[in-house]
Amino acid sequence: MNLELSPAEQAFREDVRAFLRDNLTYELRRGQRETSSMYPEPETSGPWQQALQRQGWLVPLWPQEWGGTGWTAVQRFIFESECALAGAPLVHPMGVRLVGPVILRFGSEEQKRRYLPRIMSGEDYWCQGFSEPGAGSDLASLKMRAVADGEDYILNGSKIWTTHAHHANMMFALVRTSTEGKRQEGISFLLIDMNTPGIEVRPIATIGGDHDVNEVFFTDVRVPQANRIGAENAGWDCAKYLLEFERGAGIFSGRLRSQLKRVGDAVGELEASGVDVRGDARLVARFGEVCADLDCFEMMELRIMGALQPGQSPGPVSSILKLRASRMKQAIAELGVEVLGGEALRWRRESAGDSVLPVLVPDYLNSRAYTIFGGAAEVQLGIIAKSVVGV
């Protein structure tokens, strides 16, 4: 694999860096730096999404006729990596990277015209209604009912671990429209206005001290059948397509390298205060192991990206990317608390200016969930064994 950038690619990288210099403010970098949960708050991600939209760089995975960039895999990698290393906020992905591609693939022309512009403008802020109290990794066992009533569905049930439901005005959800046949055959994919009467959002406080996820209750919630994506009882196909994008259509290595850089910044802070971190040979060796693992993961990601067409789902190989990225995220977070040493025992969740130290412990605590959400590690291993290895 040729790792040398062509002159055109080098010029593109300079364009990206110039855009970052002109648009990435200190406030936006600080908002991302202080984020220990999955996604930054809307006041951080929203202005950055608007800047990308003005530049025409918001939805590189979409077809060009709907605002996509038409970038090559190398250009996407350059863009994502430069943004991550510069400390740019992570754009809230529920709209642009998850439901957007599903609407493009399975939605009607009317649904595309209605929802896609609102996703790009940020007018709609989305959350994902998949998991339920009894349906997590075994998603096909979901029970939230959608009963047809005229031109509407009546929804009753609940969803759990719903990220940013307290901010969202729209939800894409899997609901049960039939109990006949296989469990997967009775599921439909619905778009739900979160301001509809009968919806209640309750916060779930996580171990890291963040309010990131919620439980959402539906009591006789009326949703137009026109909000269904695809045919009735065919939502499982939409879900599988979406999960491939959730697990493998992003660029993980740039964000992981940015997380590792934050640990390196912590080493600098501690040594400036008189703590001899580099004198711990075991810790230095562990840092080198994590760096080597990340280099290998980055090469794997580049190889996979290079084989994809613009907007193409990565397919079952996304499970490899998701599994490795989740474990890398945890390894880097563990390294962060090892660097802190005994200081990690002291809870410091408050902001401390430009210091990265207060973020490391909640980042470690929250990282434990990375091998659970989006498909547990055990589920990913099963998909890899069946679809990739051929077991």
Side-chain angles (χ1 to χ4, degrees):
M1 183 167 56
N2 183 9
L3 299 179
E4 295 292 329
L5 296 181
S6 69
E9 290 162 349
Q10 293 177 26
F12 175 74
R13 182 176 62 185
E14 292 307 312
D15 289 342
V16 173
R17 290 176 175 175
F19 170 77
L20 291 167
R21 286 193 298 269
D22 293 342
N23 293 274
L24 183 56
T25 65
Y26 168 80
E27 290 74 20
L28 293 178
R29 290 198 307 273
R30 179 173 177 175
Q32 178 63 39
R33 183 175 62 248
E34 293 183 348
T35 298
S36 59
S37 55
M38 183 66 177
Y39 307 120
E41 293 294 292
E43 56 264 29
T44 296
S45 63
W48 184 239
Q49 176 170 333
Q50 292 169 7
L52 293 173
Q53 170 68 353
R54 289 192 298 269
Q55 184 72 10
W57 289 354
L58 177 62
V59 287
L61 291 173
W62 292 17
Q64 287 182 272
E65 60 266 29
W66 287 103
T69 58
W71 287 341
T72 65
V74 173
Q75 286 176 306
R76 270 199 64 217
F77 184 85
I78 291 171
F79 171 74
E80 298 278 2
S81 298
E82 292 293 333
C83 285
L85 293 175
L90 185 67
V91 172
H92 189 63
M94 299 296 179
V96 298
R97 287 195 174 178
L98 299 187
V99 75
V102 170
I103 294 171
L104 284 163
R105 172 75 178 271
F106 299 98
S108 67
E109 290 302 313
E110 180 181 353
Q111 289 169 332
K112 293 175 187 177
R113 290 192 298 269
R114 177 180 177 184
Y115 292 111
L116 296 181
R118 294 169 63 93
I119 290 173
M120 290 189 290
S121 69
E123 187 174 355
D124 286 338
Y125 193 92
W126 291 81
C127 62
Q128 181 183 46
F130 277 20
S131 293
E132 296 181 5
S137 296
D138 184 17
L139 189 57
S141 64
L142 65 89
K143 292 182 172 59
M144 191 169 101
R145 291 303 308 272
V147 178
D149 183 52
E151 295 184 351
D152 298 333
Y153 288 116
I154 306 299
L155 273 57
N156 282 281
S158 66
K159 296 293 180 178
I160 200 168
W161 313 121
T162 312
T163 303
H164 282 202
H166 54 301
H167 296 310
N169 69 312
M170 292 294 297
M171 172 191 282
F172 56 90
L174 295 178
V175 296
R176 184 156 299 284
T177 45
S178 174
T179 56
E180 302 294 326
K182 291 184 178 180
R183 295 178 303 168
Q184 293 89 340
E185 294 173 355
I187 294 172
S188 296
F189 193 101
L190 281 186
L191 309 182
I192 303 169
D193 185 338
M194 291 291 287
N195 295 312
T196 307
I199 297 178
E200 179 187 2
V201 178
R202 298 181 190 173
I204 299 175
T206 58
I207 192 173
D210 306 283
H211 175 199
D212 201 34
V213 295
N214 307 268
E215 191 165 11
V216 185
F217 295 87
F218 298 79
T219 304
D220 294 330
V221 175
R222 188 172 288 271
V223 177
Q225 292 195 33
N227 285 22
R228 187 187 66 238
I229 300 296
E232 186 173 84
N233 300 326
W236 193 249
D237 290 335
C238 298
K240 289 190 296 182
Y241 185 74
L242 181 146
L243 288 171
E244 289 174 2
F245 276 92
E246 181 180 24
R247 294 165 181 166
I251 307 296
F252 293 110
S253 54
R255 291 288 166 183
L256 291 170
R257 202 169 291 282
S258 178
Q259 182 194 2
L260 185 59
K261 180 179 180 297
R262 187 163 63 179
V263 176
D265 291 341
V267 171
E269 282 191 51
L270 291 168
E271 295 205 323
S273 66
V275 179
D276 183 17
V277 179
R278 299 171 200 263
D280 186 336
R282 184 196 62 81
L283 189 57
V284 171
R286 181 62 187 138
F287 209 110
E289 290 172 357
V290 172
C291 289
D293 283 348
L294 182 51
D295 286 343
C296 292
F297 177 78
E298 186 176 71
M299 293 301 101
M300 179 178 70
E301 194 170 53
L302 278 167
R303 286 177 64 91
I304 292 171
M305 284 186 59
L308 299 177
Q309 299 298 316
Q312 181 184 355
S313 161
V317 76
S318 63
S319 291
I320 298 176
L321 294 175
K322 197 275 181 185
L323 180 63
R324 288 295 299 133
S326 297
R327 289 177 171 172
M328 284 295 306
K329 167 74 177 176
Q330 292 176 342
I332 296 171
E334 290 169 4
L335 183 63
V337 293
E338 287 187 66
V339 164
L340 285 176
E343 184 68 14
L345 298 174
R346 188 159 68 98
W347 184 262
R348 299 198 306 169
R349 191 64 180 87
E350 74 282 357
S351 175
D354 291 333
S355 174
V356 299
L357 299 181
V359 184
L360 297 182
V361 173
D363 186 53
Y364 163 75
L365 294 172
N366 288 329
S367 76
R368 311 321 300 163
Y370 273 71
T371 45
I372 301 173
F373 65 68
E378 293 78 9
V379 172
Q380 305 310 318
L381 288 169
I383 293 172
I384 293 167
K386 181 178 179 181
S387 303
V388 180
V389 182
V391 175

